[in-house]
Amino acid sequence: ARRSLCTLLVLLALPIARGSQRADEALDACGLPKGYYPVSHCFNDATHHTCCALGPEARKYADASGNPIGTAASKAFKALHGREPGASDLTPWCTCFGSLVCSYYATKFDDGTKIKFIYEPGSDPPEGAFDVPTNKNCEAKARKYFDVQAHGTPGVSDPNGAAALCPDYDVAANIHLLSSVEAAEAPSASCTDGHC
């Protein structure tokens, strides 16, 4: 009976361990530290799927609007790099895909904020959509493709987008393995500088 119980516990833990491994691959691809508790929700819940490179204005605005991810991203940057981000550094963070946070900030500020990739929830091996044009309609198109629920976030006035208003971006054609460094840096076949 004891051996059966041990075997059952090991088998029950396997999906948890695999989910953690997938999240670690996504954290690596995003440039966030592994084993750092404040990012434990990243790529591991129902909405934090967008790897967003946050510029300094976006970080400041997020903090001031009740969504303290600017400070959180700066702390994660320091945990990984051993230094505070500089004034022009982009800091990665897993933003709410459900409310299109990254594209909202990128449109609101001309500080380099951009989508690095959007994790495909539950993919195994972990994959993501790359070269997503940084506007809410294209992020919404990926959200619809991945079937993620829309929701609100403090400081984001409109969590809606119209996938039909992003006709030139093909989500399926831009899905790559997160473990592929080349995928993160590969130029899009149909987009230039984040715009189709």
Side-chain angles (χ1 to χ4, degrees), residues 123-144:
S123 57
D124 191 8
E127 297 179 321
F130 287 81
D131 301 309
V132 180
T134 305
N135 70 64
K136 70 179 185 176
N137 297 315
C138 294
E139 192 172 4
K141 187 174 192 174
R143 181 176 68 188
K144 182 177 179 181

Side-chain angles (χ1 to χ4, degrees), residues 15-33:
I16 295 167
R18 183 64 191 132
S20 178
Q21 183 182 2
R22 286 193 305 262
D24 281 352
E25 287 182 44
L27 291 169
D28 275 343
C30 191
L32 289 166

Side-chain angles (χ1 to χ4, degrees), residues 14-67:
L14 286 176
I16 295 167
R18 183 64 191 132
S20 178
Q21 183 182 2
R22 286 193 305 262
D24 281 352
E25 287 182 44
L27 291 169
D28 275 343
C30 191
L32 289 166
K34 295 184 295 191
Y36 178 66
Y37 180 75
V39 299
S40 61
H41 67 291
C42 293
F43 315 110
N44 223 2
D45 67 8
T47 191
H48 292 94
H49 306 305
T50 302
C51 174
C52 186
L54 294 168
E57 292 177 61
R59 291 193 302 268
K60 184 176 177 182
Y61 174 82
D63 287 349
S65 66
N67 185 19

